[in-house]
PDB file of all heavy atoms in Angstrom:
ATOM      1  N   SER X  72    -139.296 161.866  53.514  1.00  0.00           N
ATOM      2  CA  SER X  72    -140.706 162.228  53.445  1.00  0.00           C
ATOM      3  C   SER X  72    -141.657 161.065  53.114  1.00  0.00           C
ATOM      4  O   SER X  72    -142.727 160.976  53.740  1.00  0.00           O
ATOM      5  CB  SER X  72    -140.958 163.403  52.532  1.00  0.00           C
ATOM      6  OG  SER X  72    -140.577 163.126  51.220  1.00  0.00           O
ATOM      7  N   PRO X  73    -141.369 160.157  52.187  1.00  0.00           N
ATOM      8  CA  PRO X  73    -142.305 159.046  51.961  1.00  0.00           C
ATOM      9  C   PRO X  73    -142.490 158.155  53.187  1.00  0.00           C
ATOM     10  O   PRO X  73    -143.543 157.603  53.419  1.00  0.00           O
ATOM     11  CB  PRO X  73    -141.666 158.257  50.803  1.00  0.00           C
ATOM     12  CG  PRO X  73    -140.862 159.269  50.059  1.00  0.00           C
ATOM     13  CD  PRO X  73    -140.318 160.169  51.152  1.00  0.00           C
ATOM     14  N   LEU X  74    -141.459 158.061  54.033  1.00  0.00           N
ATOM     15  CA  LEU X  74    -141.575 157.288  55.271  1.00  0.00           C
ATOM     16  C   LEU X  74    -142.389 158.077  56.296  1.00  0.00           C
ATOM     17  O   LEU X  74    -143.322 157.525  56.895  1.00  0.00           O
ATOM     18  CB  LEU X  74    -140.162 156.981  55.809  1.00  0.00           C
ATOM     19  CG  LEU X  74    -140.088 156.102  57.057  1.00  0.00           C
ATOM     20  CD1 LEU X  74    -140.663 154.723  56.798  1.00  0.00           C
ATOM     21  CD2 LEU X  74    -138.615 155.985  57.500  1.00  0.00           C
ATOM     22  N   VAL X  75    -142.064 159.345  56.459  1.00  0.00           N
ATOM     23  CA  VAL X  75    -142.784 160.212  57.410  1.00  0.00           C
ATOM     24  C   VAL X  75    -144.290 160.304  57.025  1.00  0.00           C
ATOM     25  O   VAL X  75    -145.160 160.250  57.910  1.00  0.00           O
ATOM     26  CB  VAL X  75    -142.159 161.621  57.468  1.00  0.00           C
ATOM     27  CG1 VAL X  75    -142.995 162.585  58.288  1.00  0.00           C
ATOM     28  CG2 VAL X  75    -140.734 161.547  58.019  1.00  0.00           C
ATOM     29  N   ASN X  76    -144.571 160.422  55.741  1.00  0.00           N
ATOM     30  CA  ASN X  76    -145.933 160.599  55.251  1.00  0.00           C
ATOM     31  C   ASN X  76    -146.693 159.290  55.049  1.00  0.00           C
ATOM     32  O   ASN X  76    -147.779 159.296  54.508  1.00  0.00           O
ATOM     33  CB  ASN X  76    -145.949 161.391  53.943  1.00  0.00           C
ATOM     34  CG  ASN X  76    -145.389 162.774  54.139  1.00  0.00           C
ATOM     35  OD1 ASN X  76    -145.479 163.365  55.194  1.00  0.00           O
ATOM     36  ND2 ASN X  76    -144.775 163.314  53.085  1.00  0.00           N
ATOM     37  N   LYS X  77    -146.095 158.176  55.475  1.00  0.00           N
ATOM     38  CA  LYS X  77    -146.734 156.842  55.357  1.00  0.00           C
ATOM     39  C   LYS X  77    -146.989 156.430  53.910  1.00  0.00           C
ATOM     40  O   LYS X  77    -147.917 155.670  53.620  1.00  0.00           O
ATOM     41  CB  LYS X  77    -148.038 156.778  56.161  1.00  0.00           C
ATOM     42  CG  LYS X  77    -147.900 157.090  57.619  1.00  0.00           C
ATOM     43  CD  LYS X  77    -147.240 155.956  58.327  1.00  0.00           C
ATOM     44  CE  LYS X  77    -147.316 156.207  59.836  1.00  0.00           C
ATOM     45  NZ  LYS X  77    -146.157 155.777  60.537  1.00  0.00           N
ATOM     46  N   GLU X  78    -146.176 156.930  52.981  1.00  0.00           N
ATOM     47  CA  GLU X  78    -146.239 156.422  51.593  1.00  0.00           C
ATOM     48  C   GLU X  78    -145.523 155.065  51.525  1.00  0.00           C
ATOM     49  O   GLU X  78    -145.791 154.294  50.627  1.00  0.00           O
ATOM     50  CB  GLU X  78    -145.569 157.402  50.629  1.00  0.00           C
ATOM     51  CG  GLU X  78    -146.332 158.725  50.554  1.00  0.00           C
ATOM     52  CD  GLU X  78    -145.581 159.740  49.747  1.00  0.00           C
ATOM     53  OE1 GLU X  78    -144.901 159.379  48.763  1.00  0.00           O
ATOM     54  OE2 GLU X  78    -145.627 160.935  50.108  1.00  0.00           O
ATOM     55  N   ILE X  79    -144.636 154.835  52.467  1.00  0.00           N
ATOM     56  CA  ILE X  79    -144.067 153.517  52.676  1.00  0.00           C
ATOM     57  C   ILE X  79    -144.137 153.199  54.172  1.00  0.00           C
ATOM     58  O   ILE X  79    -143.931 154.075  54.993  1.00  0.00           O
ATOM     59  CB  ILE X  79    -142.603 153.392  52.163  1.00  0.00           C
ATOM     60  CG1 ILE X  79    -141.690 154.457  52.775  1.00  0.00           C
ATOM     61  CG2 ILE X  79    -142.543 153.456  50.666  1.00  0.00           C
ATOM     62  CD1 ILE X  79    -140.220 154.312  52.418  1.00  0.00           C
ATOM     63  N   PHE X  80    -144.468 151.959  54.496  1.00  0.00           N
ATOM     64  CA  PHE X  80    -144.545 151.520  55.870  1.00  0.00           C
ATOM     65  C   PHE X  80    -144.471 150.008  55.885  1.00  0.00           C
ATOM     66  O   PHE X  80    -144.658 149.357  54.866  1.00  0.00           O
ATOM     67  CB  PHE X  80    -145.806 152.022  56.558  1.00  0.00           C
ATOM     68  CG  PHE X  80    -147.082 151.521  55.945  1.00  0.00           C
ATOM     69  CD1 PHE X  80    -147.641 150.303  56.316  1.00  0.00           C
ATOM     70  CD2 PHE X  80    -147.725 152.279  54.990  1.00  0.00           C
ATOM     71  CE1 PHE X  80    -148.805 149.856  55.710  1.00  0.00           C
ATOM     72  CE2 PHE X  80    -148.908 151.843  54.401  1.00  0.00           C
ATOM     73  CZ  PHE X  80    -149.444 150.617  54.785  1.00  0.00           C
ATOM     74  N   ALA X  81    -144.179 149.456  57.034  1.00  0.00           N
ATOM     75  CA  ALA X  81    -144.028 148.000  57.173  1.00  0.00           C
ATOM     76  C   ALA X  81    -144.869 147.476  58.335  1.00  0.00           C
ATOM     77  O   ALA X  81    -145.130 148.205  59.303  1.00  0.00           O
ATOM     78  CB  ALA X  81    -142.580 147.625  57.387  1.00  0.00           C
ATOM     79  N   GLN X  82    -145.245 146.226  58.177  1.00  0.00           N
ATOM     80  CA  GLN X  82    -145.934 145.482  59.244  1.00  0.00           C
ATOM     81  C   GLN X  82    -145.371 144.048  59.205  1.00  0.00           C
ATOM     82  O   GLN X  82    -144.804 143.630  58.191  1.00  0.00           O
ATOM     83  CB  GLN X  82    -147.438 145.480  58.984  1.00  0.00           C
ATOM     84  CG  GLN X  82    -148.108 146.795  59.168  1.00  0.00           C
ATOM     85  CD  GLN X  82    -148.199 147.245  60.604  1.00  0.00           C
ATOM     86  OE1 GLN X  82    -147.955 146.478  61.555  1.00  0.00           O
ATOM     87  NE2 GLN X  82    -148.479 148.527  60.808  1.00  0.00           N
ATOM     88  N   PRO X  83    -145.565 143.314  60.272  1.00  0.00           N
ATOM     89  CA  PRO X  83    -145.037 141.927  60.285  1.00  0.00           C
ATOM     90  C   PRO X  83    -145.660 141.010  59.242  1.00  0.00           C
ATOM     91  O   PRO X  83    -144.989 140.096  58.750  1.00  0.00           O
ATOM     92  CB  PRO X  83    -145.384 141.427  61.705  1.00  0.00           C
ATOM     93  CG  PRO X  83    -145.553 142.673  62.519  1.00  0.00           C
ATOM     94  CD  PRO X  83    -146.076 143.715  61.579  1.00  0.00           C
ATOM     95  N   THR X  84    -146.913 141.260  58.878  1.00  0.00           N
ATOM     96  CA  THR X  84    -147.586 140.396  57.890  1.00  0.00           C
ATOM     97  C   THR X  84    -148.272 141.231  56.813  1.00  0.00           C
ATOM     98  O   THR X  84    -148.579 142.406  57.023  1.00  0.00           O
ATOM     99  CB  THR X  84    -148.638 139.504  58.539  1.00  0.00           C
ATOM    100  OG1 THR X  84    -149.705 140.339  59.019  1.00  0.00           O
ATOM    101  CG2 THR X  84    -148.065 138.680  59.693  1.00  0.00           C
ATOM    102  N   GLU X  85    -148.515 140.589  55.682  1.00  0.00           N
ATOM    103  CA  GLU X  85    -149.235 141.264  54.582  1.00  0.00           C
ATOM    104  C   GLU X  85    -150.648 141.638  55.030  1.00  0.00           C
ATOM    105  O   GLU X  85    -151.163 142.715  54.659  1.00  0.00           O
ATOM    106  CB  GLU X  85    -149.276 140.352  53.358  1.00  0.00           C
ATOM    107  CG  GLU X  85    -149.786 141.054  52.117  1.00  0.00           C
ATOM    108  CD  GLU X  85    -149.607 140.259  50.863  1.00  0.00           C
ATOM    109  OE1 GLU X  85    -148.623 139.492  50.733  1.00  0.00           O
ATOM    110  OE2 GLU X  85    -150.447 140.419  49.968  1.00  0.00           O
ATOM    111  N   LYS X  86    -151.292 140.819  55.834  1.00  0.00           N
ATOM    112  CA  LYS X  86    -152.645 141.109  56.323  1.00  0.00           C
ATOM    113  C   LYS X  86    -152.646 142.402  57.140  1.00  0.00           C
ATOM    114  O   LYS X  86    -153.528 143.243  56.993  1.00  0.00           O
ATOM    115  CB  LYS X  86    -153.175 139.941  57.142  1.00  0.00           C
ATOM    116  CG  LYS X  86    -154.610 140.087  57.562  1.00  0.00           C
ATOM    117  CD  LYS X  86    -155.097 138.806  58.230  1.00  0.00           C
ATOM    118  CE  LYS X  86    -156.530 138.935  58.643  1.00  0.00           C
ATOM    119  NZ  LYS X  86    -157.464 138.530  57.642  1.00  0.00           N
ATOM    120  N   GLU X  87    -151.627 142.586  57.954  1.00  0.00           N
ATOM    121  CA  GLU X  87    -151.531 143.816  58.770  1.00  0.00           C
ATOM    122  C   GLU X  87    -151.211 145.019  57.890  1.00  0.00           C
ATOM    123  O   GLU X  87    -151.689 146.129  58.168  1.00  0.00           O
ATOM    124  CB  GLU X  87    -150.492 143.642  59.871  1.00  0.00           C
ATOM    125  CG  GLU X  87    -150.925 142.660  60.936  1.00  0.00           C
ATOM    126  CD  GLU X  87    -149.829 142.365  61.931  1.00  0.00           C
ATOM    127  OE1 GLU X  87    -149.746 143.136  62.909  1.00  0.00           O
ATOM    128  OE2 GLU X  87    -149.087 141.377  61.744  1.00  0.00           O
ATOM    129  N   VAL X  88    -150.447 144.825  56.840  1.00  0.00           N
ATOM    130  CA  VAL X  88    -150.176 145.908  55.863  1.00  0.00           C
ATOM    131  C   VAL X  88    -151.493 146.326  55.223  1.00  0.00           C
ATOM    132  O   VAL X  88    -151.772 147.515  55.109  1.00  0.00           O
ATOM    133  CB  VAL X  88    -149.138 145.463  54.796  1.00  0.00           C
ATOM    134  CG1 VAL X  88    -149.182 146.404  53.597  1.00  0.00           C
ATOM    135  CG2 VAL X  88    -147.745 145.473  55.371  1.00  0.00           C
ATOM    136  N   GLU X  89    -152.271 145.350  54.807  1.00  0.00           N
ATOM    137  CA  GLU X  89    -153.557 145.668  54.161  1.00  0.00           C
ATOM    138  C   GLU X  89    -154.491 146.433  55.088  1.00  0.00           C
ATOM    139  O   GLU X  89    -155.201 147.355  54.667  1.00  0.00           O
ATOM    140  CB  GLU X  89    -154.215 144.373  53.643  1.00  0.00           C
ATOM    141  CG  GLU X  89    -153.479 143.769  52.475  1.00  0.00           C
ATOM    142  CD  GLU X  89    -153.950 142.394  52.093  1.00  0.00           C
ATOM    143  OE1 GLU X  89    -154.833 141.814  52.818  1.00  0.00           O
ATOM    144  OE2 GLU X  89    -153.458 141.866  51.105  1.00  0.00           O
ATOM    145  N   LYS X  90    -154.469 146.072  56.368  1.00  0.00           N
ATOM    146  CA  LYS X  90    -155.279 146.776  57.361  1.00  0.00           C
ATOM    147  C   LYS X  90    -154.832 148.238  57.482  1.00  0.00           C
ATOM    148  O   LYS X  90    -155.657 149.142  57.472  1.00  0.00           O
ATOM    149  CB  LYS X  90    -155.213 146.068  58.721  1.00  0.00           C
ATOM    150  CG  LYS X  90    -156.053 146.701  59.775  1.00  0.00           C
ATOM    151  CD  LYS X  90    -155.965 145.977  61.094  1.00  0.00           C
ATOM    152  CE  LYS X  90    -156.766 146.700  62.142  1.00  0.00           C
ATOM    153  NZ  LYS X  90    -156.632 146.068  63.463  1.00  0.00           N
ATOM    154  N   GLN X  91    -153.516 148.456  57.596  1.00  0.00           N
ATOM    155  CA  GLN X  91    -153.020 149.825  57.700  1.00  0.00           C
ATOM    156  C   GLN X  91    -153.272 150.595  56.410  1.00  0.00           C
ATOM    157  O   GLN X  91    -153.624 151.781  56.436  1.00  0.00           O
ATOM    158  CB  GLN X  91    -151.528 149.839  58.046  1.00  0.00           C
ATOM    159  CG  GLN X  91    -151.031 151.260  58.308  1.00  0.00           C
ATOM    160  CD  GLN X  91    -149.613 151.303  58.859  1.00  0.00           C
ATOM    161  OE1 GLN X  91    -148.994 150.266  59.110  1.00  0.00           O
ATOM    162  NE2 GLN X  91    -149.103 152.492  59.010  1.00  0.00           N
ATOM    163  N   ALA X  92    -153.115 149.937  55.259  1.00  0.00           N
ATOM    164  CA  ALA X  92    -153.373 150.583  53.979  1.00  0.00           C
ATOM    165  C   ALA X  92    -154.841 151.065  53.901  1.00  0.00           C
ATOM    166  O   ALA X  92    -155.120 152.137  53.379  1.00  0.00           O
ATOM    167  CB  ALA X  92    -153.075 149.662  52.824  1.00  0.00           C
ATOM    168  N   GLU X  93    -155.733 150.242  54.418  1.00  0.00           N
ATOM    169  CA  GLU X  93    -157.153 150.617  54.461  1.00  0.00           C
ATOM    170  C   GLU X  93    -157.353 151.893  55.301  1.00  0.00           C
ATOM    171  O   GLU X  93    -158.109 152.804  54.902  1.00  0.00           O
ATOM    172  CB  GLU X  93    -157.982 149.464  55.009  1.00  0.00           C
ATOM    173  CG  GLU X  93    -159.444 149.796  55.237  1.00  0.00           C
ATOM    174  CD  GLU X  93    -160.193 150.085  53.939  1.00  0.00           C
ATOM    175  OE1 GLU X  93    -159.761 149.679  52.859  1.00  0.00           O
ATOM    176  OE2 GLU X  93    -161.234 150.773  54.035  1.00  0.00           O
ATOM    177  N   GLU X  94    -156.675 151.981  56.422  1.00  0.00           N
ATOM    178  CA  GLU X  94    -156.757 153.140  57.289  1.00  0.00           C
ATOM    179  C   GLU X  94    -156.202 154.390  56.598  1.00  0.00           C
ATOM    180  O   GLU X  94    -156.648 155.514  56.867  1.00  0.00           O
ATOM    181  CB  GLU X  94    -156.014 152.888  58.606  1.00  0.00           C
ATOM    182  CG  GLU X  94    -156.640 151.820  59.467  1.00  0.00           C
ATOM    183  CD  GLU X  94    -155.741 151.396  60.620  1.00  0.00           C
ATOM    184  OE1 GLU X  94    -154.647 151.982  60.819  1.00  0.00           O
ATOM    185  OE2 GLU X  94    -156.123 150.427  61.342  1.00  0.00           O
ATOM    186  N   LEU X  95    -155.234 154.212  55.720  1.00  0.00           N
ATOM    187  CA  LEU X  95    -154.557 155.325  55.054  1.00  0.00           C
ATOM    188  C   LEU X  95    -155.067 155.588  53.620  1.00  0.00           C
ATOM    189  O   LEU X  95    -154.486 156.380  52.898  1.00  0.00           O
ATOM    190  CB  LEU X  95    -153.037 155.070  54.989  1.00  0.00           C
ATOM    191  CG  LEU X  95    -152.334 154.969  56.336  1.00  0.00           C
ATOM    192  CD1 LEU X  95    -150.925 154.431  56.150  1.00  0.00           C
ATOM    193  CD2 LEU X  95    -152.335 156.288  57.058  1.00  0.00           C
ATOM    194  N   LYS X  96    -156.142 154.917  53.219  1.00  0.00           N
ATOM    195  CA  LYS X  96    -156.557 154.951  51.830  1.00  0.00           C
ATOM    196  C   LYS X  96    -156.872 156.343  51.294  1.00  0.00           C
ATOM    197  O   LYS X  96    -156.722 156.585  50.113  1.00  0.00           O
ATOM    198  CB  LYS X  96    -157.767 154.034  51.614  1.00  0.00           C
ATOM    199  CG  LYS X  96    -159.054 154.553  52.190  1.00  0.00           C
ATOM    200  CD  LYS X  96    -160.231 153.614  51.863  1.00  0.00           C
ATOM    201  CE  LYS X  96    -161.515 154.226  52.240  1.00  0.00           C
ATOM    202  NZ  LYS X  96    -161.912 154.072  53.618  1.00  0.00           N
ATOM    203  N   ASP X  97    -157.305 157.242  52.149  1.00  0.00           N
ATOM    204  CA  ASP X  97    -157.635 158.606  51.682  1.00  0.00           C
ATOM    205  C   ASP X  97    -156.458 159.551  51.643  1.00  0.00           C
ATOM    206  O   ASP X  97    -156.589 160.662  51.138  1.00  0.00           O
ATOM    207  CB  ASP X  97    -158.745 159.179  52.550  1.00  0.00           C
ATOM    208  CG  ASP X  97    -160.054 158.393  52.391  1.00  0.00           C
ATOM    209  OD1 ASP X  97    -160.332 157.908  51.293  1.00  0.00           O
ATOM    210  OD2 ASP X  97    -160.798 158.297  53.397  1.00  0.00           O
ATOM    211  N   GLU X  98    -155.313 159.115  52.158  1.00  0.00           N
ATOM    212  CA  GLU X  98    -154.104 159.946  52.110  1.00  0.00           C
ATOM    213  C   GLU X  98    -153.580 159.963  50.674  1.00  0.00           C
ATOM    214  O   GLU X  98    -153.474 158.909  50.035  1.00  0.00           O
ATOM    215  CB  GLU X  98    -153.042 159.383  53.042  1.00  0.00           C
ATOM    216  CG  GLU X  98    -153.455 159.360  54.499  1.00  0.00           C
ATOM    217  CD  GLU X  98    -153.667 160.726  55.093  1.00  0.00           C
ATOM    218  OE1 GLU X  98    -152.876 161.637  54.747  1.00  0.00           O
ATOM    219  OE2 GLU X  98    -154.605 160.875  55.886  1.00  0.00           O
TER     220      GLU X  98
END
Side-chain angles (χ1 to χ4, degrees):
S72 62
L74 184 62
V75 172
N76 297 331
K77 303 286 189 217
E78 294 172 36
I79 56 174
F80 61 87
Q82 291 290 346
T84 66
E85 190 170 328
K86 186 173 180 90
E87 290 173 87
V88 162
E89 289 171 356
K90 182 179 177 184
Q91 186 172 356
E93 174 64 23
E94 293 169 5
L95 297 169
K96 73 176 188 276
D97 294 327
E98 299 295 322

